[in-house]
Every structure is written in structure tokens, then in C-alpha cells.
Amino acid sequence: MTKRLSRNMVAAHLREIGIDFVLVPARRSAEAANLPAREGEENLEDILNEVVACRRCPLCSGRTNVVFGVGNPRARLMFVGEGPGAEEDRQGEPFVGAAGRLLTKWIERIGIVRQDVYIANIVKCRPPGNRAPLPEEAAACLPYLRRQIRAIRPEIICTLGGVALNHLLGNNDRITRARGNWRDLDGIPVLPTYHPAYILRNATREHEVVADFDLLAQRLRSG
Ligand code: SF4
């Protein structure tokens, strides 16, 4: 289980290891967080209630749990991954296990606690054998993610890995070229970076993700 740190604990830890930083206000003010939904706007609970009963694609037959998403419903920063793996399917939460711990480390490095961002996937049910979701599975599930994005209204989205980038933005861009370059999704800036599972296998590329997270932090500070 991923250990959850408070903002103060993250700050103390970063100071201890000598990192000079400015905590990024990743949670909107309490007032903003309590704003009622705008007319016609859904809240995440309404979407969740639909997703837990969803049988729109064959992935429903292999799931233990729907992995809807987790985090601050008024997050400024939202991460989008590919789909649940075995541990995520078991726990019903995205990005747990080794890849999740690495993502948490990157988030905390820029002075944000994991609970202050929102994390979701392209598909909510686990593809068998940890394969990438098929185009028809992604197409069936994407409307839920789009509704989550509309409900959360993040200021920035960060896609993790090529599959998330290609399905969310509807392109065929290679992640090796796309990473670190801002894109746009209906007026929301989107920054693609590598998936933490890829970095676990290719640790020499982690410095590129660190540079991408610095871009996220800069944008949040200037927002
Ligand atoms: S992956 Fe998405 S569309 Fe497919 S059954 Fe699960 S929730 Fe429904």
C-alpha cells in the first residue's frame, strides 16, 4: 500500500535531502472546492455510479474492481494513464504498486502530495495480461474519462505513456518525440511524458520525466 504523506511531511523530506523548492498549490481554495456544480455539470459520483455497472466492452468480464480514478475532485493537475494492472484491479485504485510509487515520487518531488492531484486511466477495467487496451475498448471507455475531465476542470493534464497520449488526443504520435511538448485538449494544456512502468525498465530516461515534471510545476506556479 502506498504511504500517504501530508504536504508538511513532503516539505520536510525535500528540505532534508537538500532540494530547494516552492510548494505548488495543487488544491484549489476551499471556496473553489466547495463550489456547486455549474448547470448541466456532473459530479464524479454520478459518473462513478454508471461506471461500476458498465458492460460496454468485453473488459468488464475480467475485472475484479472497476478502477475509476482517485484524488482531489477539484485538482489543478490531472494524470491520465493507460489502464489498470493486476494490483490496481485488486485494489480498485490506479497507480499502486511499483509504478504507482514512482509516480508518487515524481509528484512529491515538485512539492505536491498525491491526494492533491487526480489520477485516472483511459480504460477503467483491466485488460488481460496487462496488454494495452484495444482501440474499440478505449473508444467505449473514453466518454467516461471525458466526463471526469469536465467535472474536475483541471488546469493541466499530464498523460503517462504513449497509449494514454494517443487515445486521449486521438493521434498516433510517438511518445519519444511528443514528451515534454505541450498539447491542447479543448483548451486544457496537456503535457505527455513517459509511463512510470516504462521508466522502471529504462531508468536512464528518468531525467526526461524529471524535466517534464519541472514544466508541470512551472505552469502551476504561473497559473
Ligand atoms: S473498460 Fe470501460 S467501457 Fe469497458 S466495461 Fe470497463 S468501464 Fe465499461
Side-chain angles (χ1 to χ4, degrees), residues 184-207:
D184 177 89
L185 178 73
D186 302 328
I188 303 172
V190 176
L191 189 74
T193 195
Y194 293 119
H195 194 287
Y198 172 78
I199 297 298
L200 287 174
R201 301 189 301 271
N202 300 275
T204 56
R205 304 202 88 142
E206 189 175 6
H207 68 280

Side-chain angles (χ1 to χ4, degrees), residues 46-188:
D46 297 335
I47 308 166
L48 172 64
N49 287 336
E50 271 183 55
V51 172
V52 293
C54 179
R55 306 193 70 79
R56 273 189 203 167
C57 87
L59 293 183
C60 65
S61 59
R63 73 184 173 215
T64 308
N65 287 297
V66 157
V67 180
F68 178 69
V70 70
N72 178 356
R74 284 285 180 253
R76 296 178 68 197
L77 173 59
M78 178 169 179
F79 290 92
V80 175
E82 177 179 319
E87 197 52 33
E88 286 80 9
D89 175 63
R90 199 177 67 76
Q91 293 191 32
E93 182 173 328
F95 286 93
V96 291
R101 283 191 293 279
L102 186 54
L103 175 62
T104 303
K105 183 186 94 173
W106 295 335
I107 294 169
E108 290 175 352
R109 187 192 151 272
I110 60 168
I112 302 175
V113 288
R114 181 174 156 129
Q115 302 95 300
D116 273 353
V117 303
Y118 196 90
I119 307 172
N121 282 314
I122 296 288
V123 290
K124 315 295 187 203
C125 304
R126 183 192 176 206
N130 287 343
R131 66 161 168 77
L134 301 174
E136 55 270 29
E137 294 160 352
C141 209
L142 260 173
Y144 294 128
L145 179 62
R146 292 204 185 97
R147 287 163 63 189
Q148 284 173 293
I149 292 170
R150 279 199 296 274
I152 295 164
R153 289 185 268 155
E155 290 169 31
I156 300 174
I157 296 173
C158 177
T159 54
L160 300 166
V163 172
L165 165 70
N166 296 154
H167 287 301
L168 186 65
L169 297 189
N171 63 31
N172 290 314
D173 293 355
R174 295 171 69 97
I175 186 63
T176 44
R177 291 199 177 166
R179 65 141 285 274
N181 294 297
W182 289 101
R183 307 297 172 94
D184 177 89
L185 178 73
D186 302 328
I188 303 172

